[in-house]
Amino acid sequence: MQFRSSYLKYCVGILTVFLLSACFKKFDQIETLNTNMFDREYQGDAWFQLDSAFYFVTPLGTSQTRFEISIIQDRLPGLKPSNIKVEFSSGGSDPLILDFPLSSGGVYEKVIDVPYVGTGEYCVEMGVFVPSDSTIINKFSACRII
């Protein structure tokens, strides 16, 4: 009987090691992720696009520059979050943390107005804000002439 019990423990031990090693292989794959905008080691192009930038005057007579920005769909992970936080800055202004909520159409778009400072090139810089450790990852810039 003791042989049978020892053999059973041995088989269970081997099976446990086999199952755990299969689980750890998944962790190895996590280290090579670099295809979506939330990957810290992201290797792709800019994850957002500056759809348009233009000058306009508000009803109160203030001159503004409007940026219309969208997040590129194929830079997102398979499971889309309901909201994406980004750090936004333009023209040397202090960075702002902004929300890009998921619209009913399944896209992330945002309209951002900044003070107009005259004709010329306007650039925006955006990075993904990681709330868990208050860091910014994957910063990119885009520019338009107004």
Side-chain angles (χ1 to χ4, degrees), residues 99-130:
D99 292 317
F100 273 70
L102 181 62
S103 72
S104 59
V107 296
Y108 299 89
E109 298 173 315
K110 187 93 173 156
V111 172
I112 304 166
D113 296 337
V114 299
Y116 179 73
V117 293
T119 304
E121 185 174 58
Y122 283 76
C123 295
V124 299
E125 182 177 68
M126 290 189 1
V128 178
F129 178 72
V130 181

PDB file of all heavy atoms in Angstrom, residues 99-130:
ATOM      1  N   ASP A  99      -9.879  63.029 -19.995  1.00  0.00           N
ATOM      2  CA  ASP A  99     -10.570  61.767 -20.231  1.00  0.00           C
ATOM      3  C   ASP A  99     -11.000  61.671 -21.680  1.00  0.00           C
ATOM      4  O   ASP A  99     -11.502  62.631 -22.250  1.00  0.00           O
ATOM      5  CB  ASP A  99     -11.820  61.663 -19.355  1.00  0.00           C
ATOM      6  CG  ASP A  99     -11.492  61.530 -17.886  1.00  0.00           C
ATOM      7  OD1 ASP A  99     -10.572  60.758 -17.566  1.00  0.00           O
ATOM      8  OD2 ASP A  99     -12.157  62.190 -17.066  1.00  0.00           O
ATOM      9  N   PHE A 100     -10.785  60.508 -22.264  1.00  0.00           N
ATOM     10  CA  PHE A 100     -11.314  60.170 -23.590  1.00  0.00           C
ATOM     11  C   PHE A 100     -12.325  59.047 -23.368  1.00  0.00           C
ATOM     12  O   PHE A 100     -11.964  57.876 -23.344  1.00  0.00           O
ATOM     13  CB  PHE A 100     -10.195  59.680 -24.517  1.00  0.00           C
ATOM     14  CG  PHE A 100      -9.469  60.758 -25.258  1.00  0.00           C
ATOM     15  CD1 PHE A 100      -8.639  61.637 -24.602  1.00  0.00           C
ATOM     16  CD2 PHE A 100      -9.622  60.898 -26.633  1.00  0.00           C
ATOM     17  CE1 PHE A 100      -7.965  62.630 -25.281  1.00  0.00           C
ATOM     18  CE2 PHE A 100      -8.954  61.884 -27.331  1.00  0.00           C
ATOM     19  CZ  PHE A 100      -8.123  62.756 -26.652  1.00  0.00           C
ATOM     20  N   PRO A 101     -13.603  59.389 -23.174  1.00  0.00           N
ATOM     21  CA  PRO A 101     -14.595  58.335 -22.947  1.00  0.00           C
ATOM     22  C   PRO A 101     -14.928  57.590 -24.237  1.00  0.00           C
ATOM     23  O   PRO A 101     -14.844  58.153 -25.327  1.00  0.00           O
ATOM     24  CB  PRO A 101     -15.810  59.097 -22.420  1.00  0.00           C
ATOM     25  CG  PRO A 101     -15.641  60.484 -22.937  1.00  0.00           C
ATOM     26  CD  PRO A 101     -14.163  60.721 -23.098  1.00  0.00           C
ATOM     27  N   LEU A 102     -15.306  56.351 -24.088  1.00  0.00           N
ATOM     28  CA  LEU A 102     -15.735  55.535 -25.227  1.00  0.00           C
ATOM     29  C   LEU A 102     -17.125  56.001 -25.638  1.00  0.00           C
ATOM     30  O   LEU A 102     -18.052  56.011 -24.832  1.00  0.00           O
ATOM     31  CB  LEU A 102     -15.757  54.059 -24.831  1.00  0.00           C
ATOM     32  CG  LEU A 102     -16.167  53.053 -25.900  1.00  0.00           C
ATOM     33  CD1 LEU A 102     -15.199  53.087 -27.075  1.00  0.00           C
ATOM     34  CD2 LEU A 102     -16.222  51.658 -25.308  1.00  0.00           C
ATOM     35  N   SER A 103     -17.270  56.413 -26.886  1.00  0.00           N
ATOM     36  CA  SER A 103     -18.567  56.896 -27.366  1.00  0.00           C
ATOM     37  C   SER A 103     -19.489  55.723 -27.688  1.00  0.00           C
ATOM     38  O   SER A 103     -19.049  54.574 -27.771  1.00  0.00           O
ATOM     39  CB  SER A 103     -18.389  57.768 -28.607  1.00  0.00           C
ATOM     40  OG  SER A 103     -18.045  56.973 -29.720  1.00  0.00           O
ATOM     41  N   SER A 104     -20.745  56.026 -27.922  1.00  0.00           N
ATOM     42  CA  SER A 104     -21.705  54.977 -28.261  1.00  0.00           C
ATOM     43  C   SER A 104     -21.356  54.318 -29.599  1.00  0.00           C
ATOM     44  O   SER A 104     -21.740  53.190 -29.858  1.00  0.00           O
ATOM     45  CB  SER A 104     -23.120  55.547 -28.310  1.00  0.00           C
ATOM     46  OG  SER A 104     -23.192  56.587 -29.265  1.00  0.00           O
ATOM     47  N   GLY A 105     -20.590  55.034 -30.436  1.00  0.00           N
ATOM     48  CA  GLY A 105     -20.153  54.465 -31.713  1.00  0.00           C
ATOM     49  C   GLY A 105     -18.907  53.615 -31.597  1.00  0.00           C
ATOM     50  O   GLY A 105     -18.398  53.096 -32.589  1.00  0.00           O
ATOM     51  N   GLY A 106     -18.360  53.475 -30.376  1.00  0.00           N
ATOM     52  CA  GLY A 106     -17.196  52.628 -30.161  1.00  0.00           C
ATOM     53  C   GLY A 106     -15.857  53.291 -30.461  1.00  0.00           C
ATOM     54  O   GLY A 106     -14.862  52.609 -30.658  1.00  0.00           O
ATOM     55  N   VAL A 107     -15.824  54.627 -30.495  1.00  0.00           N
ATOM     56  CA  VAL A 107     -14.577  55.342 -30.760  1.00  0.00           C
ATOM     57  C   VAL A 107     -14.261  56.291 -29.599  1.00  0.00           C
ATOM     58  O   VAL A 107     -15.135  56.625 -28.803  1.00  0.00           O
ATOM     59  CB  VAL A 107     -14.634  56.134 -32.088  1.00  0.00           C
ATOM     60  CG1 VAL A 107     -14.785  55.197 -33.272  1.00  0.00           C
ATOM     61  CG2 VAL A 107     -15.759  57.142 -32.069  1.00  0.00           C
ATOM     62  N   TYR A 108     -13.013  56.686 -29.549  1.00  0.00           N
ATOM     63  CA  TYR A 108     -12.557  57.652 -28.551  1.00  0.00           C
ATOM     64  C   TYR A 108     -12.200  58.929 -29.301  1.00  0.00           C
ATOM     65  O   TYR A 108     -11.257  58.939 -30.094  1.00  0.00           O
ATOM     66  CB  TYR A 108     -11.316  57.138 -27.824  1.00  0.00           C
ATOM     67  CG  TYR A 108     -11.530  55.859 -27.059  1.00  0.00           C
ATOM     68  CD1 TYR A 108     -11.339  54.629 -27.658  1.00  0.00           C
ATOM     69  CD2 TYR A 108     -11.923  55.882 -25.730  1.00  0.00           C
ATOM     70  CE1 TYR A 108     -11.515  53.450 -26.966  1.00  0.00           C
ATOM     71  CE2 TYR A 108     -12.115  54.710 -25.018  1.00  0.00           C
ATOM     72  CZ  TYR A 108     -11.903  53.496 -25.643  1.00  0.00           C
ATOM     73  OH  TYR A 108     -12.088  52.330 -24.947  1.00  0.00           O
ATOM     74  N   GLU A 109     -12.950  59.994 -29.058  1.00  0.00           N
ATOM     75  CA  GLU A 109     -12.707  61.277 -29.709  1.00  0.00           C
ATOM     76  C   GLU A 109     -12.805  62.376 -28.668  1.00  0.00           C
ATOM     77  O   GLU A 109     -13.545  62.262 -27.694  1.00  0.00           O
ATOM     78  CB  GLU A 109     -13.736  61.543 -30.804  1.00  0.00           C
ATOM     79  CG  GLU A 109     -13.700  60.540 -31.924  1.00  0.00           C
ATOM     80  CD  GLU A 109     -14.829  60.727 -32.911  1.00  0.00           C
ATOM     81  OE1 GLU A 109     -15.987  60.924 -32.484  1.00  0.00           O
ATOM     82  OE2 GLU A 109     -14.547  60.665 -34.112  1.00  0.00           O
ATOM     83  N   LYS A 110     -12.075  63.462 -28.925  1.00  0.00           N
ATOM     84  CA  LYS A 110     -12.092  64.577 -27.981  1.00  0.00           C
ATOM     85  C   LYS A 110     -11.882  65.865 -28.755  1.00  0.00           C
ATOM     86  O   LYS A 110     -11.102  65.917 -29.700  1.00  0.00           O
ATOM     87  CB  LYS A 110     -10.979  64.403 -26.946  1.00  0.00           C
ATOM     88  CG  LYS A 110     -10.990  65.394 -25.827  1.00  0.00           C
ATOM     89  CD  LYS A 110     -11.764  64.824 -24.687  1.00  0.00           C
ATOM     90  CE  LYS A 110     -11.671  65.702 -23.466  1.00  0.00           C
ATOM     91  NZ  LYS A 110     -12.815  65.474 -22.606  1.00  0.00           N
ATOM     92  N   VAL A 111     -12.591  66.905 -28.332  1.00  0.00           N
ATOM     93  CA  VAL A 111     -12.384  68.253 -28.852  1.00  0.00           C
ATOM     94  C   VAL A 111     -11.732  69.050 -27.732  1.00  0.00           C
ATOM     95  O   VAL A 111     -12.246  69.085 -26.605  1.00  0.00           O
ATOM     96  CB  VAL A 111     -13.729  68.899 -29.266  1.00  0.00           C
ATOM     97  CG1 VAL A 111     -13.535  70.354 -29.619  1.00  0.00           C
ATOM     98  CG2 VAL A 111     -14.346  68.131 -30.422  1.00  0.00           C
ATOM     99  N   ILE A 112     -10.586  69.666 -28.034  1.00  0.00           N
ATOM    100  CA  ILE A 112      -9.834  70.412 -27.028  1.00  0.00           C
ATOM    101  C   ILE A 112      -9.568  71.812 -27.564  1.00  0.00           C
ATOM    102  O   ILE A 112      -9.040  71.968 -28.669  1.00  0.00           O
ATOM    103  CB  ILE A 112      -8.500  69.710 -26.699  1.00  0.00           C
ATOM    104  CG1 ILE A 112      -8.769  68.269 -26.253  1.00  0.00           C
ATOM    105  CG2 ILE A 112      -7.730  70.476 -25.633  1.00  0.00           C
ATOM    106  CD1 ILE A 112      -7.548  67.382 -26.222  1.00  0.00           C
ATOM    107  N   ASP A 113      -9.945  72.821 -26.798  1.00  0.00           N
ATOM    108  CA  ASP A 113      -9.727  74.215 -27.177  1.00  0.00           C
ATOM    109  C   ASP A 113      -8.603  74.806 -26.345  1.00  0.00           C
ATOM    110  O   ASP A 113      -8.533  74.597 -25.132  1.00  0.00           O
ATOM    111  CB  ASP A 113     -11.000  75.039 -26.957  1.00  0.00           C
ATOM    112  CG  ASP A 113     -12.146  74.593 -27.848  1.00  0.00           C
ATOM    113  OD1 ASP A 113     -11.869  73.987 -28.906  1.00  0.00           O
ATOM    114  OD2 ASP A 113     -13.304  74.848 -27.486  1.00  0.00           O
ATOM    115  N   VAL A 114      -7.723  75.526 -27.028  1.00  0.00           N
ATOM    116  CA  VAL A 114      -6.621  76.243 -26.367  1.00  0.00           C
ATOM    117  C   VAL A 114      -6.604  77.674 -26.902  1.00  0.00           C
ATOM    118  O   VAL A 114      -7.137  77.947 -27.979  1.00  0.00           O
ATOM    119  CB  VAL A 114      -5.251  75.552 -26.605  1.00  0.00           C
ATOM    120  CG1 VAL A 114      -5.244  74.139 -26.037  1.00  0.00           C
ATOM    121  CG2 VAL A 114      -4.889  75.533 -28.072  1.00  0.00           C
ATOM    122  N   PRO A 115      -5.977  78.599 -26.169  1.00  0.00           N
ATOM    123  CA  PRO A 115      -5.917  79.979 -26.655  1.00  0.00           C
ATOM    124  C   PRO A 115      -5.188  80.076 -28.000  1.00  0.00           C
ATOM    125  O   PRO A 115      -4.185  79.409 -28.227  1.00  0.00           O
ATOM    126  CB  PRO A 115      -5.143  80.716 -25.567  1.00  0.00           C
ATOM    127  CG  PRO A 115      -5.331  79.888 -24.340  1.00  0.00           C
ATOM    128  CD  PRO A 115      -5.417  78.466 -24.828  1.00  0.00           C
ATOM    129  N   TYR A 116      -5.704  80.918 -28.860  1.00  0.00           N
ATOM    130  CA  TYR A 116      -5.089  81.165 -30.168  1.00  0.00           C
ATOM    131  C   TYR A 116      -3.968  82.175 -29.978  1.00  0.00           C
ATOM    132  O   TYR A 116      -4.149  83.212 -29.345  1.00  0.00           O
ATOM    133  CB  TYR A 116      -6.146  81.715 -31.124  1.00  0.00           C
ATOM    134  CG  TYR A 116      -5.637  82.033 -32.501  1.00  0.00           C
ATOM    135  CD1 TYR A 116      -5.324  81.021 -33.393  1.00  0.00           C
ATOM    136  CD2 TYR A 116      -5.466  83.353 -32.918  1.00  0.00           C
ATOM    137  CE1 TYR A 116      -4.868  81.293 -34.667  1.00  0.00           C
ATOM    138  CE2 TYR A 116      -5.008  83.645 -34.194  1.00  0.00           C
ATOM    139  CZ  TYR A 116      -4.708  82.617 -35.062  1.00  0.00           C
ATOM    140  OH  TYR A 116      -4.256  82.900 -36.320  1.00  0.00           O
ATOM    141  N   VAL A 117      -2.785  81.870 -30.523  1.00  0.00           N
ATOM    142  CA  VAL A 117      -1.632  82.771 -30.377  1.00  0.00           C
ATOM    143  C   VAL A 117      -1.116  83.270 -31.716  1.00  0.00           C
ATOM    144  O   VAL A 117      -0.019  83.808 -31.789  1.00  0.00           O
ATOM    145  CB  VAL A 117      -0.483  82.093 -29.581  1.00  0.00           C
ATOM    146  CG1 VAL A 117      -0.900  81.856 -28.142  1.00  0.00           C
ATOM    147  CG2 VAL A 117      -0.040  80.808 -30.239  1.00  0.00           C
ATOM    148  N   GLY A 118      -1.897  83.111 -32.755  1.00  0.00           N
ATOM    149  CA  GLY A 118      -1.495  83.602 -34.063  1.00  0.00           C
ATOM    150  C   GLY A 118      -1.272  82.476 -35.052  1.00  0.00           C
ATOM    151  O   GLY A 118      -1.246  81.295 -34.698  1.00  0.00           O
ATOM    152  N   THR A 119      -1.102  82.867 -36.310  1.00  0.00           N
ATOM    153  CA  THR A 119      -0.893  81.895 -37.378  1.00  0.00           C
ATOM    154  C   THR A 119       0.444  81.198 -37.186  1.00  0.00           C
ATOM    155  O   THR A 119       1.428  81.809 -36.790  1.00  0.00           O
ATOM    156  CB  THR A 119      -0.918  82.605 -38.740  1.00  0.00           C
ATOM    157  OG1 THR A 119      -2.158  83.300 -38.853  1.00  0.00           O
ATOM    158  CG2 THR A 119      -0.792  81.617 -39.881  1.00  0.00           C
ATOM    159  N   GLY A 120       0.479  79.932 -37.504  1.00  0.00           N
ATOM    160  CA  GLY A 120       1.718  79.174 -37.400  1.00  0.00           C
ATOM    161  C   GLY A 120       1.446  77.721 -37.097  1.00  0.00           C
ATOM    162  O   GLY A 120       0.328  77.227 -37.246  1.00  0.00           O
ATOM    163  N   GLU A 121       2.486  77.029 -36.662  1.00  0.00           N
ATOM    164  CA  GLU A 121       2.373  75.607 -36.368  1.00  0.00           C
ATOM    165  C   GLU A 121       1.935  75.403 -34.920  1.00  0.00           C
ATOM    166  O   GLU A 121       2.508  75.981 -34.000  1.00  0.00           O
ATOM    167  CB  GLU A 121       3.715  74.911 -36.612  1.00  0.00           C
ATOM    168  CG  GLU A 121       3.643  73.415 -36.450  1.00  0.00           C
ATOM    169  CD  GLU A 121       4.931  72.722 -36.829  1.00  0.00           C
ATOM    170  OE1 GLU A 121       5.981  73.042 -36.224  1.00  0.00           O
ATOM    171  OE2 GLU A 121       4.900  71.879 -37.729  1.00  0.00           O
ATOM    172  N   TYR A 122       0.920  74.584 -34.748  1.00  0.00           N
ATOM    173  CA  TYR A 122       0.423  74.217 -33.428  1.00  0.00           C
ATOM    174  C   TYR A 122       0.679  72.729 -33.246  1.00  0.00           C
ATOM    175  O   TYR A 122       0.333  71.924 -34.107  1.00  0.00           O
ATOM    176  CB  TYR A 122      -1.078  74.484 -33.299  1.00  0.00           C
ATOM    177  CG  TYR A 122      -1.426  75.932 -33.084  1.00  0.00           C
ATOM    178  CD1 TYR A 122      -1.379  76.842 -34.134  1.00  0.00           C
ATOM    179  CD2 TYR A 122      -1.795  76.397 -31.831  1.00  0.00           C
ATOM    180  CE1 TYR A 122      -1.697  78.176 -33.941  1.00  0.00           C
ATOM    181  CE2 TYR A 122      -2.127  77.730 -31.624  1.00  0.00           C
ATOM    182  CZ  TYR A 122      -2.068  78.611 -32.682  1.00  0.00           C
ATOM    183  OH  TYR A 122      -2.383  79.926 -32.492  1.00  0.00           O
ATOM    184  N   CYS A 123       1.286  72.397 -32.118  1.00  0.00           N
ATOM    185  CA  CYS A 123       1.594  70.994 -31.834  1.00  0.00           C
ATOM    186  C   CYS A 123       0.916  70.562 -30.546  1.00  0.00           C
ATOM    187  O   CYS A 123       0.747  71.364 -29.618  1.00  0.00           O
ATOM    188  CB  CYS A 123       3.097  70.789 -31.711  1.00  0.00           C
ATOM    189  SG  CYS A 123       3.997  71.097 -33.236  1.00  0.00           S
ATOM    190  N   VAL A 124       0.540  69.314 -30.501  1.00  0.00           N
ATOM    191  CA  VAL A 124       0.014  68.706 -29.281  1.00  0.00           C
ATOM    192  C   VAL A 124       0.917  67.529 -28.927  1.00  0.00           C
ATOM    193  O   VAL A 124       1.486  66.885 -29.802  1.00  0.00           O
ATOM    194  CB  VAL A 124      -1.449  68.228 -29.425  1.00  0.00           C
ATOM    195  CG1 VAL A 124      -2.359  69.385 -29.735  1.00  0.00           C
ATOM    196  CG2 VAL A 124      -1.599  67.148 -30.456  1.00  0.00           C
ATOM    197  N   GLU A 125       1.045  67.294 -27.640  1.00  0.00           N
ATOM    198  CA  GLU A 125       1.777  66.129 -27.161  1.00  0.00           C
ATOM    199  C   GLU A 125       0.853  65.390 -26.207  1.00  0.00           C
ATOM    200  O   GLU A 125       0.253  66.012 -25.321  1.00  0.00           O
ATOM    201  CB  GLU A 125       3.066  66.526 -26.460  1.00  0.00           C
ATOM    202  CG  GLU A 125       3.876  65.316 -25.998  1.00  0.00           C
ATOM    203  CD  GLU A 125       5.197  65.702 -25.373  1.00  0.00           C
ATOM    204  OE1 GLU A 125       5.165  66.290 -24.283  1.00  0.00           O
ATOM    205  OE2 GLU A 125       6.238  65.415 -25.985  1.00  0.00           O
ATOM    206  N   MET A 126       0.733  64.091 -26.419  1.00  0.00           N
ATOM    207  CA  MET A 126      -0.126  63.290 -25.552  1.00  0.00           C
ATOM    208  C   MET A 126       0.582  62.006 -25.154  1.00  0.00           C
ATOM    209  O   MET A 126       1.316  61.425 -25.939  1.00  0.00           O
ATOM    210  CB  MET A 126      -1.453  62.961 -26.252  1.00  0.00           C
ATOM    211  CG  MET A 126      -2.328  64.172 -26.403  1.00  0.00           C
ATOM    212  SD  MET A 126      -4.034  63.949 -26.971  1.00  0.00           S
ATOM    213  CE  MET A 126      -4.301  62.264 -27.208  1.00  0.00           C
ATOM    214  N   GLY A 127       0.326  61.603 -23.913  1.00  0.00           N
ATOM    215  CA  GLY A 127       0.834  60.339 -23.393  1.00  0.00           C
ATOM    216  C   GLY A 127      -0.261  59.658 -22.605  1.00  0.00           C
ATOM    217  O   GLY A 127      -1.168  60.309 -22.083  1.00  0.00           O
ATOM    218  N   VAL A 128      -0.202  58.361 -22.492  1.00  0.00           N
ATOM    219  CA  VAL A 128      -1.187  57.590 -21.736  1.00  0.00           C
ATOM    220  C   VAL A 128      -0.888  57.770 -20.253  1.00  0.00           C
ATOM    221  O   VAL A 128       0.237  57.549 -19.802  1.00  0.00           O
ATOM    222  CB  VAL A 128      -1.138  56.093 -22.110  1.00  0.00           C
ATOM    223  CG1 VAL A 128      -2.131  55.296 -21.289  1.00  0.00           C
ATOM    224  CG2 VAL A 128      -1.382  55.906 -23.599  1.00  0.00           C
ATOM    225  N   PHE A 129      -1.890  58.194 -19.493  1.00  0.00           N
ATOM    226  CA  PHE A 129      -1.749  58.364 -18.047  1.00  0.00           C
ATOM    227  C   PHE A 129      -2.103  57.053 -17.361  1.00  0.00           C
ATOM    228  O   PHE A 129      -3.167  56.479 -17.609  1.00  0.00           O
ATOM    229  CB  PHE A 129      -2.660  59.491 -17.549  1.00  0.00           C
ATOM    230  CG  PHE A 129      -2.616  59.694 -16.062  1.00  0.00           C
ATOM    231  CD1 PHE A 129      -1.503  60.253 -15.468  1.00  0.00           C
ATOM    232  CD2 PHE A 129      -3.687  59.322 -15.273  1.00  0.00           C
ATOM    233  CE1 PHE A 129      -1.455  60.451 -14.096  1.00  0.00           C
ATOM    234  CE2 PHE A 129      -3.658  59.509 -13.899  1.00  0.00           C
ATOM    235  CZ  PHE A 129      -2.536  60.078 -13.303  1.00  0.00           C
ATOM    236  N   VAL A 130      -1.193  56.565 -16.511  1.00  0.00           N
ATOM    237  CA  VAL A 130      -1.411  55.322 -15.766  1.00  0.00           C
ATOM    238  C   VAL A 130      -1.744  55.712 -14.328  1.00  0.00           C
ATOM    239  O   VAL A 130      -0.849  56.072 -13.561  1.00  0.00           O
ATOM    240  CB  VAL A 130      -0.164  54.408 -15.810  1.00  0.00           C
ATOM    241  CG1 VAL A 130      -0.418  53.109 -15.055  1.00  0.00           C
ATOM    242  CG2 VAL A 130       0.265  54.147 -17.239  1.00  0.00           C
TER     243      VAL A 130
END
